[in-house]
Amino acid sequence: MNDVTVTRTLVIPASELRERFSRSGGPGGQGVNTADSRVELSFDLAASPSIPDHLKRRMLDRLEGRLVDGVLTIAASEHRAQLQNRGAARERLAAILRGAAAPPPPMRKPTKPTKGSKERRIAGKKRRAETKRGRSGSWD
């Protein structure tokens, strides 16, 4: 097993990951009943010593819907080979942790509409009202 690189500065050691293998569903031919190709990769985020505290709080908050007792579990069964599923699970884990560790977006600075945009809006409303006013008329 290899370490999982989340960012340049954040690497999850392989010793903190747990893998479980089971039979994958779907078509697969003769080996479908014997090959344990499905991979469940588990990472105990809450107890991990390799994640700094400030990042750990942010990640736990963002991933609280996916965690079970602080453990993040990812299942991969899209490939027929176990090795490919192991790689896919690790890539997915890195992507999820990368998204959870990202800094929050900057706060939106409130702005007011410009004078020109207000004038264009009012002019458009007047044109529309004139169009509608032209529709009502006396019919001879």
Side-chain angles (χ1 to χ4, degrees):
M1 282 199 303
N2 298 332
D3 297 345
V4 175
T5 304
V6 178
T7 62
R8 276 187 299 117
T9 57
L10 182 60
V11 177
I12 308 297
S15 60
E16 293 186 29
L17 302 174
R18 300 284 171 259
E19 286 181 326
R20 242 179 60 198
F21 306 103
S22 61
R23 294 194 180 116
S24 189
Q30 294 174 333
V32 73
N33 295 325
T34 57
D36 289 339
S37 60
R38 182 174 185 265
V39 177
E40 280 186 22
L41 183 66
S42 298
F43 172 60
D44 193 352
L45 179 62
S48 175
S50 61
I51 298 179
D53 287 336
H54 70 283
L55 274 182
K56 191 182 292 188
R57 280 192 301 274
R58 183 186 303 162
M59 293 167 103
L60 286 171
D61 285 344
R62 290 188 179 171
L63 295 174
E64 84 178 317
R66 289 194 67 150
L67 299 176
V68 177
D69 296 329
V71 178
L72 177 65
T73 303
I74 294 172
S77 61
E78 58 264 22
H79 301 288
R80 288 177 64 172
Q82 186 188 88
L83 191 60
Q84 289 176 316
N85 283 331
R86 290 174 80 181
R90 287 167 181 274
E91 287 173 18
R92 210 173 308 150
L93 174 70
I96 290 170
L97 293 178
R98 194 176 305 118
M107 293 296 291
R108 181 189 167 275
K109 183 179 176 184
T111 58
K112 294 181 180 178
T114 63
K115 185 177 179 183
S117 68
K118 287 181 188 176
E119 290 172 358
R120 285 190 298 274
R121 183 178 66 87
I122 299 299
K125 288 167 77 82
K126 287 183 178 177
R127 270 195 310 275
R128 184 74 179 145
E130 198 59 42
T131 301
K132 289 186 171 190
R133 199 174 304 121
R135 290 179 186 160
S136 66
S138 59
W139 302 100
D140 293 334

